[in-house]
């Protein structure tokens, strides 16, 4: 009978395992708002998107640095991009 704040609530954490870090995700839902079939479909879609994102990160050409990678410097993203392109051959 209580109002819900969200249709779906997600929690996630990463734990080190024998094969490396492992992501654990939990989804919660009020059954009166979101049925089991819809929740299952949503959860599977989310896992597929996360798997696609993880696969993308394995591509050597994927990604790049962002300003948050350099917390001690006051850089905008365009400055990071400029520095990265200028030193592309020197970066790991």
């Amino acid at each position: 009978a209580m109002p819900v704040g969200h249709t779906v609530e997600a929690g996630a954490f990463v734990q080190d395992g024998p094969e490396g870090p492992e992501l654990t995700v939990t989804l919660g839902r009020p059954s009166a708002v979101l049925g089991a079939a819809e929740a299952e479909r949503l959860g599977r879609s989310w896992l597929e998107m996360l798997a696609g994102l993880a696969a993308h990160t394995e591509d050597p050409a994927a990604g790049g640095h962002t300003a948050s990678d350099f917390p001690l410097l006051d850089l905008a993203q365009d400055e990071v991009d400029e520095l990265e392109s200028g030193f592309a051959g020197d970066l790991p």
Side-chain angles (χ1 to χ4, degrees):
M2 293 178 50
V4 296
H6 307 282
T7 302
V8 176
E9 291 191 6
F13 66 92
V14 175
Q15 186 172 14
D16 288 331
E19 295 183 23
E22 183 176 300
L23 175 66
T24 299
V25 177
T26 59
L27 298 177
R29 63 167 175 87
S31 60
V33 176
L34 188 66
E38 292 85 3
E40 179 75 19
R41 196 166 36 252
L42 177 64
R44 290 194 184 281
S45 294
W46 197 30
L47 288 175
E48 288 173 13
M49 286 186 269
L50 286 174
L53 179 61
H56 171 72
T57 64
E58 293 175 356
D59 182 349
H65 294 92
T66 66
S68 65
D69 292 321
F70 307 100
L72 299 178
L73 302 173
D74 184 23
L75 294 172
Q77 185 60 46
D78 61 333
E79 294 171 308
V80 173
D81 295 341
E82 184 179 330
L83 286 168
E84 199 165 56
S85 66
F87 294 98
D90 300 330
L91 295 175

